[in-house]
Amino acid sequence: MRFKSLLSIVEVNQTDNDLKIAIDLCSEINAHLSMMVFAVASLPPIGDYPIGTADVWVKERQSDLAALKERVNTVEMLVRDAGISASITDEYPEPAQIGHIVGRYARYADATIVGPDLLANETLKSKVIDGALFESGRPIFLIPHGTKPTLRPKRVLLAWDFAIECARAAREALDIMASAEAVHVTIVDPDTSSIANGPEPGADIAGYLAHHGIKVDVDRLPSGGEPIADVLKQHATDISADLVVMGGYGHSRTREWIFGGVTRSMIEDPSVPILMAR
């Protein structure tokens, strides 16, 4: 699909780095930028606390809201100077609400950008990714430090294992892959059973992509006992991939999203930008 609207999530104390990346991506593909700027609200005092504690909480809340307003003003100026179509909202959620609010905003964008500053924030990263990936029905675009993200990549690695999540990721990235010089469908330790990939793993998805005018190579790799995520990362380096496209796996346990092993490893230590869908 064509990406015409991107969502960027920025915490109030972050630098402008993630925002500038989002602006550049939207400028590259002439997309609308939706910005959600947020500060995390402290929980109100409960129980038999002295009155002074409540007063401190009120003052902290007022300070947070003032800082949030100032940050929104700065973001508005940066976006205006960039000359792109944009809309900016602010939120002040408690920690448990972050994922749900991100998911609500993400439903109304084609993809959510998770930039390097947010990825480096161990406290907020999982909450934002949980909401954007599992509560929106939209893909996320993970951008690690030191990379040059683009939605017009020359080389793409499509991680494939025949699952529904992989099929969804491939569908979301069709237009991106169609403009690439090469797309490497990459299968680690391919399953040749009839209920999985069949006798020629990768042939079916390669045919599907070829019908969309996509230049496809199928790479079948042995893991050699190494973690699948490590094999994918190394192969992305070997083929000079600008982007990895993959499915995101997880399940809900007591209302908290638990990532599957490969998904978790790729999120924790991405080596190249990743477009992930579920």
Side-chain angles (χ1 to χ4, degrees):
M1 63 171 293
R2 295 182 64 191
F3 288 0
K4 299 304 295 180
S5 176
L6 300 176
L7 172 67
S8 179
I9 310 295
V10 176
E11 195 269 334
V12 67
N13 294 314
Q14 286 181 218
T15 69
D16 294 334
N17 190 36
D18 288 5
L19 172 57
K20 290 178 179 178
I21 289 173
I23 289 172
D24 288 344
L25 288 171
C26 286
S27 298
E28 178 184 45
I29 60 173
N30 193 28
H32 175 83
L33 175 60
S34 296
M35 291 289 310
M36 191 193 93
V37 184
F38 76 101
V40 182
S42 298
L43 296 176
I46 58 175
D48 298 327
Y49 285 87
I51 295 176
T53 304
D55 291 341
V56 169
W57 176 76
V58 170
K59 291 179 180 178
E60 180 179 337
R61 181 179 180 85
Q62 292 172 340
S63 177
D64 287 346
L65 291 172
L68 182 58
K69 182 179 180 180
E70 182 178 353
R71 185 66 176 128
V72 168
N73 290 337
T74 301
V75 169
E76 287 177 342
M77 288 189 292
L78 287 169
V79 170
R80 184 176 64 246
D81 291 343
I84 64 171
S85 171
S87 56
I88 302 166
T89 56
D90 61 88
E91 292 286 348
Y92 188 51
E94 294 178 356
Q97 299 172 325
I98 293 172
H100 302 301
I101 290 175
V102 169
R104 174 163 56 85
Y105 279 97
R107 290 169 205 150
Y108 306 108
D110 293 323
T112 298
I113 301 168
V114 184
D117 284 0
L118 194 53
L119 279 176
N121 189 320
E122 293 299 328
T123 302
L124 298 176
K125 174 177 69 175
S126 61
K127 297 180 184 298
V128 171
I129 293 176
D130 285 353
L133 185 60
F134 293 109
E135 297 194 35
S136 72
R138 301 288 188 268
I140 60 175
F141 191 28
L142 305 176
I143 303 169
H145 273 294
T147 61
K148 296 180 179 180
T150 176
L151 288 169
R152 290 177 176 166
K154 292 183 178 180
R155 292 185 174 272
V156 177
L157 187 158
L158 172 61
W160 186 255
D161 68 359
F162 86 90
I164 292 174
E165 290 84 354
C166 287
R168 177 65 184 278
R171 176 64 183 86
E172 293 284 356
L174 277 179
D175 282 352
I176 293 174
M177 293 189 291
S179 65
E181 294 178 359
V183 173
H184 290 255
V185 174
T186 303
I187 310 172
V188 180
D189 294 336
D191 182 350
T192 59
S193 66
S194 59
I195 62 171
N197 291 293
E200 192 175 350
D204 290 344
I205 183 61
Y208 169 75
L209 297 178
H211 287 313
H212 288 271
I214 296 171
K215 307 173 189 67
V216 186
D217 293 305
V218 177
D219 301 334
R220 305 180 186 98
L221 307 176
S223 68
E226 296 295 322
I228 291 176
D230 290 351
V231 177
L232 291 173
K233 292 174 190 176
Q234 183 59 54
H235 194 54
T237 299
D238 292 343
I239 65 173
S240 300
D242 306 296
L243 179 69
V244 170
V245 175
M246 62 178 291
Y249 300 85
H251 61 274
S252 179
R253 181 182 298 163
T254 63
R255 295 187 63 82
E256 290 186 6
W257 289 107
I258 309 299
F259 292 117
V262 176
T263 302
R264 182 173 59 252
S265 295
M266 296 297 282
I267 289 173
E268 288 178 352
D269 186 26
S271 57
V272 298
I274 300 172
L275 184 72
M276 185 178 291
R278 185 176 188 273

